[in-house]
Amino acid sequence: MSRAHRHLSRPRLAWMLVALTAASHAPGSDLRDQAPLPGQRGRQGDGVMAPSHQASQPPRAEILAAERPDEWRLIIEAPGRWPAGALVITPLLRQFAVGRVSLQQGMGQDGPSTRWLIPLHGQPAPLPPLRLASWSIPLPPFPAREADTAPPPPRVIQRASLSHEGPLYPGQPFVYALHITLPDPVRQPALEELVHPDVTIRRLGEDEWRPGARAGEPGVLIRRWLLQARRAGDVTLTAPRLQASYLLGNQSQTLAGRAAPLTLHVDEAPLPLVARRLTLSQQFTRRQATLGEPIIRTLRLRLEDGDGSQVNLPEVHVAGLRVQGDGSQRRERFLANGRLLYEQEWRQALRANQPGDYLLPEIRLPWLNTQNGRIEQLILPGQRLSFTPDPASPETSPSPSATRIPLLIWTLLPLLLVACRPRLGRWLAFYRLQQALRRGDAEGSRRALLHWRHRRWPESLSPAILWPGEIPVSARMAAALDTLQAACFGTLTHFDGAPLALGLCAYETRGIAGLLRRVAWLDGTYRHKDHHKETQ
């Protein structure tokens, strides 16, 4: 008994005991609802007090869907103030990955309340009840994801760009780049090629892949094209179409799209030939040669950031000088500095009909310099070439042997009587080849060799061949053909055709080839003897 109770008088204490006894027997009365006696201290001090189990409102549970299909939020709210560990969540750990549990305490209309927020990760399944003190809290079923059954497709970003500064003219190259951001769920991306009827388009290098900075972040696919406009005006470039797939559950879904189109303006050029830099040079094997020997001229053109097909060199017309073209070689390269370099090389064999000096005219090429926007003239100065008479060859004079019937007619007369008409043209070409080899005429032998080769191998893989070295012969014969080529376009002044004439007989009809070679070389011997008698 407290000190205050000890000071109460005995009559007053007896009266209070009678009142309490009567109140306890009254119907509907409860001592817990009575106010505390004077001097009594309640238990609700500074500590946490759990409510009685006979509370009127039991705890309630609710399950909400999160952003991802396999994520959920379990909310349990109970009256009163409870510590975090009062709720037993061990049954949840057997079926789900449970995140960090958060506890919230607040005051409502019915008094204080405690709320638990429990993140769950996993597939929906029946949940066992949870215990809170003496309460058994049943958990509701998982809600249906009606709005989230078809999640949005992965976000693919496509961006097209052009790399060019200043005015753009036809033939000038520029780069079209396409950057595609691909998330991880995207599989098997397929990108079409860039096409336009008025633009020359070529793929520039291989595709470049830039992975994300961290795992799970999207990467970037970069593809570049080199473009050259063919005409002036407005050009609209439609981006290539991208098609890919991604998995939605166990099914593959298709994803397609393209970047926004780009429009550029191509200005009208005052000249067809447009370039950033243009050079033209020439080289001669020699400046003076003996009559009958060729002088090889090589022209080299270098054009930067332009269309090489617009270059047209003027033809060389000099009286008494024969110019024989031997084809050209060209190539294009995209340099590391972002420039397109075009190179072309021409080879010409120059021969004079009479001894003397010959002046090659200068070459002029007007072109537009895109660096300063000015029209300039590319000038290649003229060159003087000299041809001297051959001291070893005497003056030719009419020979009586020229009036007699050639020995070839008497040799081919029996061949005309046999049933070999389809091969007569090929044999005649072989006979003319033997005559050219016998005379030591390198250029004539080269033309006769190519003519005979066209009849000998009509079904060749390279019907438009220009080089004798590409004829399908043995390695030993290939070396002899290289000697012939060096005599035509090199510095070799003396050519002996006897080894080549003998070796080529193995590639013609046996017997006929040997007969034609003997007749050709025997005819030359008779002509030489007749000419020797006349000079005496």
Side-chain angles (χ1 to χ4, degrees):
M1 184 179 294
S2 64
R3 184 177 180 181
H5 289 166
R6 285 196 304 266
H7 285 82
L8 294 175
S9 62
R10 288 184 179 182
R12 186 175 181 179
L13 178 61
W15 179 82
M16 293 180 63
L17 289 175
V18 173
L20 290 173
T21 304
S24 61
H25 291 283
S29 64
D30 194 347
L31 292 177
R32 291 174 296 180
D33 297 335
Q34 302 298 326
L37 295 176
Q40 255 187 335
R41 293 184 181 180
R43 294 185 180 180
Q44 296 183 359
D46 295 335
V48 178
M49 178 181 177
S52 173
H53 299 333
Q54 285 78 18
S56 59
Q57 294 183 359
R60 64 182 185 90
E62 183 181 7
I63 298 179
L64 302 178
E67 297 179 356
R68 294 188 177 182
D70 55 350
E71 289 186 356
W72 313 87
R73 298 290 183 268
L74 175 60
I75 300 176
I76 295 179
E77 186 174 356
R81 298 184 181 275
W82 298 87
L87 180 65
V88 181
I89 62 173
T90 305
L92 299 177
L93 300 177
R94 300 189 184 99
Q95 298 179 245
F96 296 90
V98 180
R100 184 177 180 180
V101 180
S102 59
L103 184 69
Q104 297 178 357
Q105 294 181 349
M107 181 64 69
Q109 295 180 358
D110 299 335
S113 63
T114 303
R115 176 181 295 183
W116 287 267
L117 179 61
I118 307 174
L120 302 179
H121 182 83
Q123 298 298 327
L127 296 175
L130 302 182
R131 295 196 62 82
L132 176 62
S134 60
W135 275 311
S136 179
I137 307 174
L139 300 182
F142 285 86
R145 289 179 174 266
E146 298 180 358
D148 298 337
T149 53
R155 186 182 181 186
V156 179
I157 303 175
Q158 301 187 61
R159 180 174 58 86
S161 61
L162 298 176
S163 60
H164 182 77
E165 297 180 357
L168 182 64
Y169 298 102
Q172 268 191 287
F174 59 97
V175 178
Y176 179 96
L178 185 62
H179 295 70
I180 305 175
T181 303
L182 296 175
D184 285 343
V186 177
R187 297 290 183 267
Q188 299 178 352
L191 186 62
E192 298 178 354
E193 289 297 327
L194 183 66
V195 293
H196 197 280
D198 297 328
V199 180
T200 302
I201 303 174
R202 288 169 290 180
R203 179 84 71 84
L204 189 59
E206 300 294 334
D207 294 343
E208 181 182 355
W209 172 253
R210 297 178 181 177
R214 289 182 294 270
E217 292 188 356
V220 179
L221 177 67
I222 304 176
R223 180 176 291 186
R224 296 180 177 88
W225 289 268
L226 185 65
L227 281 65
Q228 289 176 286
R230 298 173 184 166
R231 62 172 181 84
D234 293 334
V235 178
T236 301
L237 298 174
T238 303
R241 185 172 181 267
L242 173 69
Q243 186 171 354
S245 61
Y246 67 97
L247 290 179
L248 180 60
N250 296 328
Q251 296 182 354
S252 178
Q253 303 292 331
T254 303
L255 183 69
R258 65 180 75 218
L262 297 179
T263 302
L264 67 153
H265 180 72
V266 182
D267 297 330
E268 185 73 31
L271 293 175
L273 183 55
V274 177
R276 187 176 184 271
R277 185 178 291 109
L278 181 65
T279 60
L280 180 63
S281 61
Q282 63 181 349
Q283 183 181 2
F284 296 90
T285 54
R286 48 189 170 176
R287 301 297 176 88
Q288 184 175 358
T290 306
L291 188 64
E293 295 180 351
I295 297 179
I296 306 303
R297 181 193 191 188
T298 304
L299 296 171
R300 293 184 177 89
L301 175 74
R302 291 173 60 91
L303 184 145
E304 187 175 306
D305 284 354
D307 187 6
S309 62
Q310 300 295 333
V311 178
N312 295 316
L313 296 182
E315 297 183 358
V316 180
H317 296 284
V318 179
L321 189 66
R322 291 177 297 167
V323 180
Q324 298 175 344
D326 194 35
S328 63
Q329 298 179 356
R330 65 184 65 183
R331 64 172 180 172
E332 279 185 308
R333 294 180 297 164
F334 191 78
L335 305 180
N337 58 359
R339 304 297 179 187
L340 179 64
L341 179 61
Y342 175 86
E343 295 177 316
Q344 188 169 359
E345 181 177 300
W346 296 268
R347 288 170 58 90
Q348 299 173 344
L350 308 177
R351 284 185 173 85
N353 298 330
Q354 299 294 334
D357 294 339
Y358 297 88
L359 179 62
L360 295 178
E362 65 179 13
I363 298 178
R364 289 179 173 266
L365 289 178
W367 63 291
L368 175 63
N369 190 338
T370 57
Q371 295 189 81
N372 51 27
R374 299 177 181 177
I375 297 178
E376 300 181 0
Q377 284 280 347
L378 175 64
I379 301 177
L380 184 66
Q383 298 292 333
R384 185 176 299 276
L385 305 178
S386 299
F387 290 88
T388 59
D390 187 5
S393 60
E395 294 293 335
T396 58
S397 58
S399 174
S401 61
T403 59
R404 62 184 178 88
I405 300 177
L407 189 58
L408 173 63
I409 298 179
W410 300 105
T411 305
L412 295 180
L413 185 58
L415 301 177
L416 296 175
L417 303 179
V418 298
C420 297
R421 293 185 59 186
R423 297 189 179 184
L424 289 181
R426 193 179 83 189
W427 292 341
L428 181 60
F430 184 80
Y431 176 79
R432 290 175 178 172
L433 172 60
Q434 292 290 334
Q435 280 188 324
L437 293 173
R438 187 260 307 166
R439 292 194 302 267
D441 183 6
E443 183 61 26
S445 300
R446 176 179 174 274
R447 290 197 299 267
L449 178 62
L450 294 177
H451 180 67
W452 170 73
R453 172 252 167 218
H454 178 69
R455 292 179 174 271
R456 176 62 180 83
W457 292 282
E459 299 296 334
S460 175
L461 297 178
S462 302
I465 186 173
L466 297 176
W467 294 97
E470 299 181 8
I471 296 178
V473 294
S474 62
R476 186 175 181 181
M477 286 300 301
L481 293 177
D482 292 339
T483 304
L484 173 61
Q485 184 173 335
C488 292
F489 303 104
T491 58
L492 185 63
T493 58
H494 177 69
F495 171 66
D496 184 12
L500 186 58
L502 181 61
L504 290 175
C505 291
Y507 299 90
E508 189 51 77
T509 306
R510 182 175 297 181
I512 300 297
L515 179 61
L516 293 177
R517 186 185 69 83
R518 290 178 181 272
V519 171
W521 287 78
L522 184 61
D523 189 13
T525 303
Y526 287 156
R527 292 175 182 272
H528 178 70
K529 289 182 178 180
D530 294 341
H531 179 75
H532 181 67
K533 290 180 181 180
E534 293 175 4
T535 55
Q536 288 182 351

PDB file of all heavy atoms in Angstrom, residues 129-145:
ATOM      1  N   PRO A 129      -0.456 -18.273 -43.821  1.00  0.00           N
ATOM      2  CA  PRO A 129      -0.746 -17.127 -42.927  1.00  0.00           C
ATOM      3  C   PRO A 129       0.487 -16.761 -42.102  1.00  0.00           C
ATOM      4  O   PRO A 129       1.348 -17.583 -41.831  1.00  0.00           O
ATOM      5  CB  PRO A 129      -1.887 -17.638 -42.050  1.00  0.00           C
ATOM      6  CG  PRO A 129      -1.779 -19.130 -42.116  1.00  0.00           C
ATOM      7  CD  PRO A 129      -1.239 -19.467 -43.464  1.00  0.00           C
ATOM      8  N   LEU A 130       0.570 -15.514 -41.725  1.00  0.00           N
ATOM      9  CA  LEU A 130       1.661 -14.994 -40.908  1.00  0.00           C
ATOM     10  C   LEU A 130       1.148 -14.767 -39.479  1.00  0.00           C
ATOM     11  O   LEU A 130      -0.041 -14.498 -39.260  1.00  0.00           O
ATOM     12  CB  LEU A 130       2.202 -13.683 -41.493  1.00  0.00           C
ATOM     13  CG  LEU A 130       2.721 -13.738 -42.936  1.00  0.00           C
ATOM     14  CD1 LEU A 130       3.257 -12.375 -43.352  1.00  0.00           C
ATOM     15  CD2 LEU A 130       3.783 -14.806 -43.106  1.00  0.00           C
ATOM     16  N   ARG A 131       2.058 -14.835 -38.526  1.00  0.00           N
ATOM     17  CA  ARG A 131       1.687 -14.690 -37.119  1.00  0.00           C
ATOM     18  C   ARG A 131       2.202 -13.360 -36.591  1.00  0.00           C
ATOM     19  O   ARG A 131       3.332 -12.956 -36.862  1.00  0.00           O
ATOM     20  CB  ARG A 131       2.255 -15.832 -36.278  1.00  0.00           C
ATOM     21  CG  ARG A 131       1.676 -17.201 -36.650  1.00  0.00           C
ATOM     22  CD  ARG A 131       1.956 -18.211 -35.552  1.00  0.00           C
ATOM     23  NE  ARG A 131       1.331 -17.845 -34.293  1.00  0.00           N
ATOM     24  CZ  ARG A 131       0.052 -18.092 -34.000  1.00  0.00           C
ATOM     25  NH1 ARG A 131      -0.737 -18.706 -34.854  1.00  0.00           N
ATOM     26  NH2 ARG A 131      -0.432 -17.737 -32.814  1.00  0.00           N
ATOM     27  N   LEU A 132       1.319 -12.688 -35.848  1.00  0.00           N
ATOM     28  CA  LEU A 132       1.631 -11.465 -35.121  1.00  0.00           C
ATOM     29  C   LEU A 132       1.109 -11.658 -33.697  1.00  0.00           C
ATOM     30  O   LEU A 132      -0.115 -11.583 -33.460  1.00  0.00           O
ATOM     31  CB  LEU A 132       0.996 -10.254 -35.781  1.00  0.00           C
ATOM     32  CG  LEU A 132       1.185  -8.923 -35.060  1.00  0.00           C
ATOM     33  CD1 LEU A 132       2.674  -8.559 -34.988  1.00  0.00           C
ATOM     34  CD2 LEU A 132       0.408  -7.807 -35.758  1.00  0.00           C
ATOM     35  N   ALA A 133       2.032 -11.924 -32.791  1.00  0.00           N
ATOM     36  CA  ALA A 133       1.643 -12.268 -31.412  1.00  0.00           C
ATOM     37  C   ALA A 133       0.735 -13.491 -31.463  1.00  0.00           C
ATOM     38  O   ALA A 133       1.121 -14.536 -31.980  1.00  0.00           O
ATOM     39  CB  ALA A 133       1.012 -11.085 -30.711  1.00  0.00           C
ATOM     40  N   SER A 134      -0.493 -13.364 -30.955  1.00  0.00           N
ATOM     41  CA  SER A 134      -1.406 -14.506 -30.986  1.00  0.00           C
ATOM     42  C   SER A 134      -2.319 -14.506 -32.202  1.00  0.00           C
ATOM     43  O   SER A 134      -3.175 -15.369 -32.342  1.00  0.00           O
ATOM     44  CB  SER A 134      -2.270 -14.514 -29.718  1.00  0.00           C
ATOM     45  OG  SER A 134      -3.037 -13.313 -29.645  1.00  0.00           O
ATOM     46  N   TRP A 135      -2.154 -13.470 -33.100  1.00  0.00           N
ATOM     47  CA  TRP A 135      -2.981 -13.404 -34.295  1.00  0.00           C
ATOM     48  C   TRP A 135      -2.394 -14.280 -35.390  1.00  0.00           C
ATOM     49  O   TRP A 135      -1.173 -14.369 -35.576  1.00  0.00           O
ATOM     50  CB  TRP A 135      -3.073 -11.975 -34.825  1.00  0.00           C
ATOM     51  CG  TRP A 135      -4.153 -11.165 -34.159  1.00  0.00           C
ATOM     52  CD1 TRP A 135      -5.446 -11.513 -33.959  1.00  0.00           C
ATOM     53  CD2 TRP A 135      -3.982  -9.865 -33.614  1.00  0.00           C
ATOM     54  NE1 TRP A 135      -6.124 -10.529 -33.331  1.00  0.00           N
ATOM     55  CE2 TRP A 135      -5.245  -9.481 -33.104  1.00  0.00           C
ATOM     56  CE3 TRP A 135      -2.915  -8.995 -33.504  1.00  0.00           C
ATOM     57  CZ2 TRP A 135      -5.463  -8.258 -32.490  1.00  0.00           C
ATOM     58  CZ3 TRP A 135      -3.129  -7.774 -32.910  1.00  0.00           C
ATOM     59  CH2 TRP A 135      -4.390  -7.418 -32.399  1.00  0.00           C
ATOM     60  N   SER A 136      -3.235 -14.893 -36.176  1.00  0.00           N
ATOM     61  CA  SER A 136      -2.861 -15.595 -37.407  1.00  0.00           C
ATOM     62  C   SER A 136      -3.463 -14.818 -38.572  1.00  0.00           C
ATOM     63  O   SER A 136      -4.697 -14.775 -38.741  1.00  0.00           O
ATOM     64  CB  SER A 136      -3.382 -17.036 -37.397  1.00  0.00           C
ATOM     65  OG  SER A 136      -3.028 -17.678 -38.604  1.00  0.00           O
ATOM     66  N   ILE A 137      -2.602 -14.166 -39.353  1.00  0.00           N
ATOM     67  CA  ILE A 137      -3.052 -13.236 -40.398  1.00  0.00           C
ATOM     68  C   ILE A 137      -3.114 -13.984 -41.724  1.00  0.00           C
ATOM     69  O   ILE A 137      -2.067 -14.351 -42.296  1.00  0.00           O
ATOM     70  CB  ILE A 137      -2.112 -12.022 -40.513  1.00  0.00           C
ATOM     71  CG1 ILE A 137      -1.930 -11.371 -39.134  1.00  0.00           C
ATOM     72  CG2 ILE A 137      -2.617 -11.032 -41.540  1.00  0.00           C
ATOM     73  CD1 ILE A 137      -0.901 -10.257 -39.130  1.00  0.00           C
ATOM     74  N   PRO A 138      -4.286 -14.259 -42.286  1.00  0.00           N
ATOM     75  CA  PRO A 138      -4.363 -14.891 -43.617  1.00  0.00           C
ATOM     76  C   PRO A 138      -3.999 -13.880 -44.710  1.00  0.00           C
ATOM     77  O   PRO A 138      -4.361 -12.702 -44.627  1.00  0.00           O
ATOM     78  CB  PRO A 138      -5.819 -15.345 -43.702  1.00  0.00           C
ATOM     79  CG  PRO A 138      -6.554 -14.392 -42.822  1.00  0.00           C
ATOM     80  CD  PRO A 138      -5.627 -14.022 -41.693  1.00  0.00           C
ATOM     81  N   LEU A 139      -3.299 -14.367 -45.721  1.00  0.00           N
ATOM     82  CA  LEU A 139      -2.854 -13.489 -46.830  1.00  0.00           C
ATOM     83  C   LEU A 139      -3.761 -13.680 -48.026  1.00  0.00           C
ATOM     84  O   LEU A 139      -4.137 -14.815 -48.369  1.00  0.00           O
ATOM     85  CB  LEU A 139      -1.411 -13.808 -47.207  1.00  0.00           C
ATOM     86  CG  LEU A 139      -0.387 -13.616 -46.080  1.00  0.00           C
ATOM     87  CD1 LEU A 139       1.023 -13.922 -46.590  1.00  0.00           C
ATOM     88  CD2 LEU A 139      -0.442 -12.209 -45.509  1.00  0.00           C
ATOM     89  N   PRO A 140      -4.124 -12.595 -48.703  1.00  0.00           N
ATOM     90  CA  PRO A 140      -5.032 -12.702 -49.861  1.00  0.00           C
ATOM     91  C   PRO A 140      -4.289 -13.256 -51.080  1.00  0.00           C
ATOM     92  O   PRO A 140      -3.065 -13.286 -51.121  1.00  0.00           O
ATOM     93  CB  PRO A 140      -5.477 -11.251 -50.080  1.00  0.00           C
ATOM     94  CG  PRO A 140      -4.326 -10.436 -49.589  1.00  0.00           C
ATOM     95  CD  PRO A 140      -3.763 -11.193 -48.413  1.00  0.00           C
ATOM     96  N   PRO A 141      -5.001 -13.690 -52.101  1.00  0.00           N
ATOM     97  CA  PRO A 141      -4.337 -14.150 -53.337  1.00  0.00           C
ATOM     98  C   PRO A 141      -3.700 -12.989 -54.101  1.00  0.00           C
ATOM     99  O   PRO A 141      -4.040 -11.818 -53.896  1.00  0.00           O
ATOM    100  CB  PRO A 141      -5.475 -14.792 -54.127  1.00  0.00           C
ATOM    101  CG  PRO A 141      -6.708 -14.114 -53.634  1.00  0.00           C
ATOM    102  CD  PRO A 141      -6.477 -13.829 -52.168  1.00  0.00           C
ATOM    103  N   PHE A 142      -2.787 -13.345 -54.985  1.00  0.00           N
ATOM    104  CA  PHE A 142      -2.104 -12.328 -55.791  1.00  0.00           C
ATOM    105  C   PHE A 142      -3.067 -11.726 -56.803  1.00  0.00           C
ATOM    106  O   PHE A 142      -3.866 -12.446 -57.424  1.00  0.00           O
ATOM    107  CB  PHE A 142      -0.909 -12.935 -56.521  1.00  0.00           C
ATOM    108  CG  PHE A 142       0.263 -13.199 -55.628  1.00  0.00           C
ATOM    109  CD1 PHE A 142       0.364 -14.383 -54.909  1.00  0.00           C
ATOM    110  CD2 PHE A 142       1.269 -12.261 -55.498  1.00  0.00           C
ATOM    111  CE1 PHE A 142       1.441 -14.631 -54.082  1.00  0.00           C
ATOM    112  CE2 PHE A 142       2.349 -12.499 -54.680  1.00  0.00           C
ATOM    113  CZ  PHE A 142       2.443 -13.675 -53.958  1.00  0.00           C
ATOM    114  N   PRO A 143      -3.006 -10.422 -57.018  1.00  0.00           N
ATOM    115  CA  PRO A 143      -3.911  -9.799 -58.000  1.00  0.00           C
ATOM    116  C   PRO A 143      -3.477 -10.127 -59.428  1.00  0.00           C
ATOM    117  O   PRO A 143      -2.312 -10.391 -59.711  1.00  0.00           O
ATOM    118  CB  PRO A 143      -3.783  -8.299 -57.696  1.00  0.00           C
ATOM    119  CG  PRO A 143      -2.406  -8.156 -57.127  1.00  0.00           C
ATOM    120  CD  PRO A 143      -2.142  -9.414 -56.343  1.00  0.00           C
ATOM    121  N   ALA A 144      -4.435 -10.106 -60.324  1.00  0.00           N
ATOM    122  CA  ALA A 144      -4.147 -10.362 -61.743  1.00  0.00           C
ATOM    123  C   ALA A 144      -3.554  -9.110 -62.379  1.00  0.00           C
ATOM    124  O   ALA A 144      -4.003  -7.990 -62.112  1.00  0.00           O
ATOM    125  CB  ALA A 144      -5.422 -10.771 -62.473  1.00  0.00           C
ATOM    126  N   ARG A 145      -2.554  -9.329 -63.236  1.00  0.00           N
ATOM    127  CA  ARG A 145      -1.900  -8.206 -63.935  1.00  0.00           C
ATOM    128  C   ARG A 145      -2.564  -8.034 -65.304  1.00  0.00           C
ATOM    129  O   ARG A 145      -2.012  -8.423 -66.327  1.00  0.00           O
ATOM    130  CB  ARG A 145      -0.408  -8.481 -64.105  1.00  0.00           C
ATOM    131  CG  ARG A 145       0.394  -8.423 -62.807  1.00  0.00           C
ATOM    132  CD  ARG A 145       1.839  -8.737 -63.086  1.00  0.00           C
ATOM    133  NE  ARG A 145       2.673  -8.563 -61.920  1.00  0.00           N
ATOM    134  CZ  ARG A 145       3.337  -7.452 -61.635  1.00  0.00           C
ATOM    135  NH1 ARG A 145       3.243  -6.414 -62.443  1.00  0.00           N
ATOM    136  NH2 ARG A 145       4.071  -7.360 -60.551  1.00  0.00           N
TER     137      ARG A 145
END
